[in-house]
Amino acid sequence: MSESSFGSMASAASVDDIPEVGVGMLGYAFMGKAHSNAFRTIPYMMYPPPAIPRMVSVSGRSVDGVAEAARRYGYAKHTTDWRDQVNDPEVQLFDNGGPNNIHAEPCIAAAEAGKHILCEKPLARTVEESKTMLDAVEKAGVKHMVAFNYRFVPAIRQIKHLVDSGALGQIYHWRAVYLQEWIMPHYNESKIWRLDKSICGSGALGDLGTHIIDLAHYLVGDMKSVSAHTQTFIKERPLLDGSGTGVVDVDDAFVAAVEFENGALGTLEATRFAAGRKNHNCFEINAEKGSIRFNLERMNELEVFWVGSEPRETQGFTNVLVSEDYHPWWENWWPQGHMIGWEHTFIHEITHLLDCIVNDKEVGPHGATFLDGYKADVIAGAILESAATKRQVDVNY
């Protein structure tokens, strides 16, 4: 795997000719901040970049909030109507970082207007809604990517290389958990939008589970069947306006057993009720020639075991620090052992998309396209169906 596979996309000789891509950002909170940080960082750290993100406009619901976001992040314009961005000729890339209920309509309109699109995960609230988005971008012929940013963790991309190269051999098992704690009773969380089915579509499943579903697709392959359970532990929560309580109509947690098309077996679990777990996205692959374990909270490391390594008396898992200049993207960062963090995944992700836009490259297989987002939503839908019907569900993409 050469250093040039992941780092700078343009040649040093063409620095003065780097194109600009105008960006319209929907949303300025959690994801809006993460994406905006990436737009500002790319020009001088992913150097020379494939394109310079020109931060044209940011949109959001609050007049004061969006004006402050434009000033803080460096957008030239701001608006409370995303349609202004879709219709703005200066915007070539529409970045949708809004809540799940405003993924479909703005992205479809952006596609119809010929904009390239980056959309936060999950792609949509339902399989049907997801399919309309996929159909729209394919009809329009624009570049499209779902922000499954963990594909752009250097250690995970290194695992992908090991899988694709055959170094692991046949994969037998995939087991993944994504554990957080932030809506446990002692936090006294109100019924925010992430607990409202009409807005989010599902709970821990869409918020956390789709990440590990996508990683399973990316690293192991398509799934064949699903058997699952869901649970809602706190069924009513205070309303944000203080007027009473509201019913929580999404899952607080799910567990699922899956069968892959290639014969591997897997488990998926996500919850926001795991005391002490802040952002514990952890998976393990067991294969013919070895096993690999990854934990996002130690994102620059891998635990690796190779079958048949000698001497037998000292065989065991080895901790590998993924920070050498020959590891994915590290040529853009610091000397080995000087760690990078969660925010860097967005820098890698958006750099990849810009390269695909200006050089007319395919977003997949490393970037998650709307097809990948749709497939993740299909599995999420199958998990909900299995939990509701108490039976195994065959997957139909």
Side-chain angles (χ1 to χ4, degrees):
M1 189 179 294
S2 68
E3 297 175 27
S4 61
S5 301
F6 303 99
S8 304
M9 306 295 179
S11 66
S14 61
V15 170
D16 293 336
D17 301 321
I18 295 173
E20 289 187 339
V21 172
V23 177
M25 179 78 226
L26 192 167
Y28 54 82
F30 184 22
M31 286 299 106
K33 182 192 293 186
H35 290 209
S36 298
N37 176 69
F39 292 133
R40 292 183 66 91
T41 305
I42 285 168
Y44 60 87
M45 289 305 297
M46 305 302 285
Y47 188 82
I52 303 293
R54 185 162 61 88
M55 300 167 74
V56 175
S57 69
V58 60
S59 64
R61 289 178 297 178
S62 164
V63 174
D64 292 339
V66 76
E68 170 61 16
R71 184 200 64 77
R72 177 180 177 184
Y73 301 141
Y75 290 94
K77 296 181 282 189
H78 58 85
T79 178
T80 56
D81 190 344
W82 55 262
R83 295 170 184 82
D84 295 337
Q85 297 173 304
V86 168
N87 296 319
D88 189 338
E90 293 186 69
V91 172
Q92 289 91 50
L93 171 61
F94 180 70
D95 187 343
N96 191 333
N100 304 350
N101 64 322
I102 56 170
H103 284 186
E105 185 183 2
C107 285
I108 291 170
E112 291 172 347
K115 312 295 186 186
H116 306 293
I117 303 169
L118 175 61
C119 183
E120 264 303 326
K121 43 59 57 184
L123 183 58
R125 294 171 294 180
T126 66
V127 175
E128 294 75 18
E129 195 172 57
S130 188
K131 185 62 163 60
T132 63
M133 298 173 71
L134 174 60
D135 290 344
V137 294
E138 289 187 337
K139 180 180 180 181
V142 297
K143 302 296 181 184
H144 47 92
M145 189 164 78
V146 184
F148 282 120
N149 58 302
Y150 298 140
R151 290 185 177 215
F152 293 87
V153 174
I156 291 178
R157 183 62 66 84
Q158 187 67 26
I159 295 172
K160 175 65 170 173
H161 170 67
L162 293 172
V163 170
D164 290 350
S165 71
L168 287 172
Q170 180 183 351
I171 294 177
Y172 301 135
H173 294 287
W174 162 272
R175 61 183 64 84
V177 298
Y178 203 154
L179 313 178
Q180 295 181 354
E181 67 166 7
W182 60 275
I183 57 172
M184 289 185 66
H186 64 283
Y187 285 108
N188 298 313
E189 184 62 73
S190 300
K191 187 183 176 183
I192 59 172
W193 72 265
R194 292 185 185 275
L195 300 170
D196 187 332
K197 185 177 181 179
S198 67
I199 299 176
C200 62
S202 63
L205 175 59
D207 186 19
L208 307 178
T210 50
H211 271 302
I212 55 177
I213 290 168
D214 178 69
L215 287 174
H217 274 133
Y218 182 53
L219 297 172
V220 183
D222 286 345
M223 297 171 217
K224 185 177 180 181
S225 68
V226 172
S227 181
H229 296 275
T230 62
Q231 186 61 269
T232 303
F233 299 115
I234 298 179
K235 303 188 186 301
E236 289 191 350
R237 289 181 180 266
L239 296 174
L240 287 168
D241 62 6
S243 63
T245 61
V247 173
V248 175
D249 51 2
V250 296
D251 57 286
D252 285 331
F254 84 92
V255 293
V258 301
E259 179 185 8
F260 290 87
E261 292 283 0
N262 61 12
L265 294 178
T267 58
L268 302 162
E269 176 187 357
T271 181
R272 298 181 292 204
F273 277 72
R277 295 300 188 187
K278 308 303 179 182
N279 197 32
H280 187 77
N281 178 355
C282 185
F283 65 80
E284 183 169 312
I285 298 173
N286 305 122
E288 175 187 5
K289 300 177 183 179
S291 295
I292 293 183
R293 181 176 174 84
F294 171 80
N295 179 359
L296 182 64
E297 291 178 340
R298 303 180 69 90
M299 64 173 280
N300 294 285
E301 302 175 22
L302 293 176
E303 293 181 72
V304 182
F305 173 80
W306 294 111
V307 172
S309 57
E310 295 295 340
R312 287 186 60 188
E313 292 79 6
T314 57
Q315 282 186 23
F317 276 86
T318 299
N319 190 76
V320 177
L321 194 61
V322 184
S323 69
E324 300 290 342
D325 60 3
Y326 51 79
H327 284 135
W329 295 290
W330 269 95
E331 65 180 84
N332 297 102
W333 299 111
W334 323 118
Q336 56 267 59
H338 294 68
M339 298 295 92
I340 61 172
W342 178 83
E343 71 274 16
H344 295 80
T345 64
F346 298 95
I347 296 167
H348 302 157
E349 174 183 62
I350 293 172
T351 300
H352 173 78
L353 181 57
L354 292 173
D355 185 35
C356 294
I357 290 171
V358 300
N359 294 310
D360 194 24
K361 297 180 179 179
E362 295 295 325
V363 171
H366 294 304
T369 66
F370 275 28
L371 177 58
D372 296 306
Y374 167 73
K375 285 186 173 184
D377 288 344
V378 168
I379 299 300
I383 287 171
L384 292 176
E385 180 184 348
S386 175
T389 61
K390 308 297 183 185
R391 64 178 180 84
Q392 180 175 298
V393 173
D394 291 333
V395 174
N396 181 8
Y397 293 112

